[in-house]
Amino acid sequence: MKFFTKISTSILFLSVLLVVSLNATAASASPIDVNGGVMNEYEYSEVFFLTGEPVTFTGKAVVTEKANKNTLTRTYRFTLSGDKENATYRDAKLTRSVNYVANVNEHEGKGQTTSQFEVKGYSEKVTFGKNTYTLADYQYSEGMVADNLPASTFYSGNMVGRKIYKYVDGTTKNEDIITVHLNGRNMGYKNFWGATETQLMDSEIITPNGSAFVTSKSSDSKSRVMVYEPFDPSISSFTGGHSVISSSDMVSEYTYNIPFGIGKGKMELQKKNLPLVERLIVPKFRDLDRHQAKDSIEKLYSLGIFDENSQFFSPNTPMQRYQYTTGILKAVDLRVLEEPKKSKVPRVPIFKDLSTKDQDYMYIESAVEQGIITGVTPDLFQPDSPITRVQAIAILVRALGMEGRAPSPGFKTHYVDDYKISAWAKDSVYVATELGLVKGNEQNYFNPKQPLTRAQAALLTSRFLDFLENDLKQNYRDDIFFK
């Protein structure tokens, strides 16, 4: 049997380090350890190239985590067996235990988190009959930066590593050293509607028989999507409603070149978890029949983003600034500031025309604190005034924290009425257009000061949620895997 080493194909668990900064209701996504493995609620699988060809190991993986102040410790334990369908490897065994420690630093005032971590303990042994591969040394270093924004957190990292294995031929008793050099990077996002982390890894494996190279891609993704559920009986108080489907899956792709083994090739792994179905309340508006925004309005009402008590939504009336703002913040599940303890001195609202007694007031104060919104004047919010297109777009882009992706000041958008877009909003309009959140009319006018109707606000909010649910996943997984 030819000896070879494990191909290490994905980098560590960066997204878990965001736990100190993110809303607990948001999902985490992170490939399992550094092996390109995939996992569901039943089993774990990963691919090794210990004999110079792909060998799939499957079994049990246990992950434990402990946080203490600015330190996070995570331990992985694997008990795996070779492919039962392959007579050559069905008796192969793998046991591994690895302990990682990360130091997490919150940069107050900048809204960012940096992390540095390394391996603190390891053991690994792989057996193929009488032949054994034992991990003798493991050096690992990784750094990450996360931008913690109201609607979504974005992060990236890079790593280097070196693994040294001792190979023992059980027949000849000969011993050899195998070295694996790792160089990788990752990118990910996390928000209330989903999370995706994709890791890219280049591995160089140096053996007495020569060197081999592997490029791997691995991705973990979790998502929450809205699905309409029809109601078939014709005699009922409602005709249908929405569900939120929470799902998750992991995929890996290995591209390898082993000159002294199997040669060139590619293979994939994938595992999915059983989806979780959550039914939502059923809207009963009587003035939406055949309206173009009907689906969006009912979707947002089911989510509690619109909280109407009437049977009439009034889709063509103006959307008020207060309701639109609180609706967007509910849509992204914004973590609101903790409400101050009761005091004998009455609380003063952040704007004179708001009341601290309103049930959604803390959303406004939290949004001001995080730079998502401002008042019409320093003292007035004008909650009942119609919200304009440009005001609505600014709220979305600020929640994403992407104003900085616009060109240097002085640029012009491609809209015919660019001159009507206020300087304070031009960055947001540019970015929202590039992201596909908004576009001009048939004549390419943006109409920045045009008030949004309630139906238009629903369509815009629904498109924003679709961006969080689908566009980000497309960009962070599919665009990388299939480019």
Side-chain angles (χ1 to χ4, degrees):
M1 181 182 294
K2 294 180 180 180
F3 62 83
F4 203 64
T5 186
K6 179 184 70 170
I7 304 296
S8 298
T9 59
S10 66
I11 58 180
L12 191 57
F13 54 92
L14 294 177
S15 64
V16 301
L17 301 177
L18 305 176
V19 68
V20 296
S21 305
L22 294 177
N23 193 316
T25 59
S28 294
S30 178
I32 302 298
D33 197 21
V34 295
N35 308 292
V38 295
M39 185 176 181
N40 59 19
E41 63 268 48
Y42 303 111
E43 66 178 10
Y44 168 86
S45 295
E46 65 180 55
V47 178
F48 288 166
F49 293 77
L50 294 166
T51 62
E53 61 179 303
V55 179
T56 301
F57 280 82
T58 300
K60 184 178 181 181
V62 178
V63 182
T64 58
E65 180 178 300
K66 182 179 180 181
N68 182 18
K69 295 183 178 181
N70 292 332
T71 300
L72 187 144
T73 302
R74 184 175 260 200
T75 301
Y76 296 85
R77 291 184 175 87
F78 301 86
T79 304
L80 309 177
S81 299
D83 187 356
K84 299 300 182 182
E85 303 299 322
N86 188 323
T88 304
Y89 301 118
R90 66 178 53 168
D91 294 327
K93 302 293 182 182
L94 180 153
T95 57
R96 181 195 303 129
S97 177
V98 186
N99 178 262
Y100 299 95
V101 176
N103 294 316
V104 183
N105 298 299
E106 292 285 342
H107 299 270
E108 296 183 7
K110 295 181 174 62
Q112 297 184 1
T113 305
T114 57
S115 306
Q116 293 76 40
F117 49 95
E118 57 188 5
V119 63
K120 286 295 186 181
Y122 60 87
S123 65
E124 181 178 329
K125 186 174 183 179
V126 184
T127 60
F128 289 85
K130 296 180 180 180
N131 300 332
T132 62
Y133 306 80
T134 304
L135 185 62
D137 185 67
Y138 184 14
Q139 301 297 321
Y140 183 89
S141 177
E142 185 169 357
M144 184 200 74
V145 59
D147 204 9
N148 307 312
L149 301 163
S152 191
T153 287
F154 301 94
Y155 60 94
S156 69
N158 60 284
M159 60 79 66
V160 293
R162 183 186 67 224
K163 292 188 173 186
I164 298 176
Y165 289 84
K166 182 175 74 172
Y167 167 73
V168 177
D169 186 310
T171 301
T172 65
K173 305 302 180 181
N174 290 335
E175 296 185 5
D176 284 297
I177 297 298
I178 302 169
T179 302
V180 181
H181 293 288
L182 307 173
N183 195 311
R185 59 192 177 92
N186 81 333
M187 59 290 298
Y189 72 88
K190 178 178 179 180
N191 60 53
F192 178 70
W193 290 98
T196 297
E197 179 178 324
T198 296
Q199 302 172 337
L200 308 178
M201 180 70 68
D202 291 324
S203 302
E204 180 183 9
I205 304 94
I206 302 173
T207 80
N209 289 339
S211 295
F213 301 89
V214 172
T215 296
S216 62
K217 303 175 183 178
S218 57
S219 185
D220 182 19
S221 187
K222 294 177 171 61
S223 61
R224 293 159 50 93
V225 298
M226 293 280 289
V227 177
Y228 181 78
E229 306 288 356
F231 190 75
D232 294 331
S234 59
I235 302 175
S236 174
S237 60
F238 62 92
T239 58
H242 287 87
S243 292
V244 172
I245 309 297
S246 299
S247 59
S248 61
D249 69 298
M250 290 185 177
V251 296
S252 290
E253 177 186 278
Y254 306 78
T255 302
Y256 53 86
N257 181 9
I258 310 173
F260 50 86
I262 196 172
K264 296 181 180 180
K266 180 184 294 187
M267 66 179 302
E268 298 178 352
L269 292 178
Q270 182 174 9
K271 287 193 182 294
K272 296 182 179 181
N273 287 291
L274 183 69
L276 175 66
V277 180
E278 177 188 0
R279 283 303 297 258
L280 303 178
I281 59 174
V282 178
K284 298 181 179 181
F285 295 120
R286 299 172 58 186
D287 56 350
L288 298 180
D289 188 38
R290 298 182 181 179
H291 195 287
Q292 65 171 345
K294 181 178 186 293
D295 290 344
S296 294
I297 293 169
E298 291 183 342
K299 171 181 175 179
L300 298 178
Y301 177 82
S302 296
L303 287 170
I305 294 170
F306 292 148
D307 188 15
E308 313 298 325
N309 295 319
S310 171
Q311 290 183 324
F312 299 93
F313 185 77
S314 302
N316 298 321
T317 60
M319 171 60 76
Q320 296 175 340
R321 280 172 49 82
Y322 189 85
Q323 187 177 31
Y324 177 83
T325 303
T326 57
I328 291 296
L329 302 183
K330 291 177 182 178
V332 300
D333 200 44
L334 179 80
R335 171 178 273 180
V336 299
L337 299 171
E338 184 176 350
E339 192 167 352
K341 296 180 180 179
K342 292 184 179 180
S343 172
K344 295 182 180 179
V345 180
R347 288 189 61 206
V348 178
I350 195 168
F351 296 109
K352 292 180 179 180
D353 51 358
L354 297 182
S355 172
T356 60
K357 296 181 180 181
D358 186 274
Q359 63 178 358
D360 292 330
Y361 167 77
M362 289 305 297
Y363 279 105
I364 301 296
E365 190 166 313
S366 300
V368 173
E369 178 74 17
Q370 297 187 49
I372 300 175
I373 61 171
T374 60
V376 176
T377 71
D379 298 324
L380 300 176
F381 187 74
Q382 295 186 0
D384 298 329
S385 296
I387 192 163
T388 64
R389 279 171 55 81
V390 74
Q391 291 171 343
I393 289 299
I395 289 173
L396 300 184
V397 176
R398 288 172 182 169
L400 290 171
M402 292 189 176
E403 311 97 296
R405 296 184 64 89
S408 299
F411 70 90
K412 290 185 178 181
T413 66
H414 71 272
Y415 294 113
V416 175
D417 54 350
D418 173 84
Y419 66 96
K420 291 185 179 180
I421 303 174
S422 301
W424 63 266
K426 191 160 288 189
D427 288 352
S428 294
V429 173
Y430 178 91
V431 172
T433 303
E434 292 296 307
L435 295 177
L437 299 177
V438 68
K439 60 182 180 180
N441 61 18
E442 294 180 356
Q443 292 76 37
N444 199 33
Y445 282 85
F446 182 72
N447 297 316
K449 297 182 180 180
Q450 181 184 74
L452 280 186
T453 66
R454 289 165 59 80
Q456 290 169 341
L459 289 169
L460 179 60
T461 304
S462 182
R463 173 68 190 103
F464 181 58
L465 293 186
D466 185 63
F467 174 83
L468 295 176
E469 294 169 3
N470 300 312
D471 292 27
L472 286 176
K473 180 179 179 180
Q474 170 78 28
N475 189 238
Y476 277 76
R477 173 181 283 191
D478 297 347
D479 291 352
I480 296 173
F481 265 65
F482 304 113
K483 68 179 181 180

